[in-house]
Structures are given as structure tokens and as C-alpha cells.
Amino acid sequence: MLNTLIANPPKFHGDPAWGVGEMDWGTGTEVLRYLSEVLVPGMKTAETGAGKSTVLFAAKGCDHVTVTPSHDEPDRIRAYCEKLGISLDRVVFVNAPSEQALPTLVLSEIDLALIDGSHAFPWPILDFFYLSRVLRKDGLLIVDDIGIWTCGLLAEFLTRSKEWEVVRRFRDANAVVARKAVERFTDEWMRQPFPTAVAWTRRVRRLIRKVVR
């Protein structure tokens, strides 16, 4: 299945209303290969966005939830999987924007989450907030398209955080994988290295500007 997805990428995305025909905006090859390595039947998984990764989650027999506001994408995925004989019995499609779906979605503890939905601010952060809280300790979080500022900001937070351990970086695919290292997160910003570093950097810059003046 992996080789098929890579060699002949299906075109699940695009919206005629935007003047965009069917095309492949899907998860990169490196991330797909990584998923193929770590996914096992019965694994509990979730993602924002839908595409080639959804097919792979299904093919691997995961109990999977995918959240996408698109109705076209799930229909195209269903048709593709039916053609190839891939069961979607363990896949749940939630057709709603993630900011509406995730706060009300009842998810049991999951093993892996993929953030690859809307990349506009603040959606990657919102997706992270909700999915990270249902991710089990030592579970894996994948953030795709970190070359885009909003996703890159999240990746930088994960890299500097004491509550996460970055275990894999995909330079070509612009993605990062982080392991959740704690049961519960701190709710105090001063205990988070990234916000603290940003605050001190801004304070130093203000002092420098005063001295220069």
C-alpha cells in the first residue's frame, strides 16, 4: 500500500468552488514511510486533515479518527479504498472544522496524532491543544509542513519543551515527530522554556533600544 501511495499519489484534495481541481496536497513521502513503520493493527490514532495518511491508517488497521471540514475528501478516499479493497470499518470521518469538532469529540486515549489540517493561524495550535491532551504518555505527535510559520512555531515549542521529546525530524518533508514525556502539562507559562525565552529576548531588545537612543 505504501509503495502505491508513493508511486502514484491519489488526488484527494482541491475544491471546485475555489477554482482548484483535484490534486495531491497530502503528507510527504518520508512521513508516510515513518507511519508505515510505527503503525500496528489496533493502534488508536487521530489526525486533522485527510488524505494519503488516512488511507495508510486504514490499511494498517488502526482505530482512526480524521477531522476535516471537506465532504469531497472523505468521498474520494472512500472510493479509492473501495477500489483497492481497503476496509474503512475502523475509520471515523468527522466532517467539521477542527475548532468545532475537537472540543466536543469524545476520544479515548490515543497512541499517535497527526496535525495536518488547516495551516492558517491559529489552527495548528488549536489542533495541538486538543489532540495533545488525549494523547497518552509516550504517545507520538507528528506536525507536518513546519516550513509554514504557524506549524514551525508549534515545532519550535515542542523542540524547547521539557514536556516533549523530539524523536524524528524530516528535513525534506518539513515535519517533526515528538514524544509526549509527561502525564499532565503545566499550566504556567514561566515553566515553559519557549515562552520564557521569547519574553526575555523581547525584554533585552527593549533595553538595547533604550541604550541606543
Side-chain angles (χ1 to χ4, degrees), residues 123-170:
W123 274 267
I125 310 302
L126 289 172
D127 294 350
F128 166 73
F129 179 83
Y130 289 107
L131 289 176
S132 65
R133 277 149 181 78
V134 294
L135 187 67
R136 67 171 173 82
K137 184 179 182 295
D138 294 321
L140 297 174
L141 175 73
I142 303 175
V143 182
D144 200 15
D145 294 313
I146 62 174
I148 299 173
W149 179 81
T150 48
C151 302
L153 180 68
L154 176 55
E156 189 169 359
F157 172 82
L158 294 170
T159 300
R160 299 199 191 193
S161 175
K162 297 178 180 178
E163 299 172 333
W164 295 88
E165 177 193 1
V166 172
V167 296
R168 195 79 172 263
R169 290 182 182 275
F170 304 99

Side-chain angles (χ1 to χ4, degrees), residues 5-7 28 39 43 46 59 95 100 110-111 116 127 129 148 152 169 175 191 199 208 212:
L5 289 172
I6 293 173
L39 296 179
M43 202 170 185
N95 286 132
Q100 295 176 13
I110 62 176
D111 302 299
D116 195 18
D127 294 350
F129 179 83
I148 299 173
R169 290 182 182 275
R191 295 180 183 176
I208 291 174
V212 170

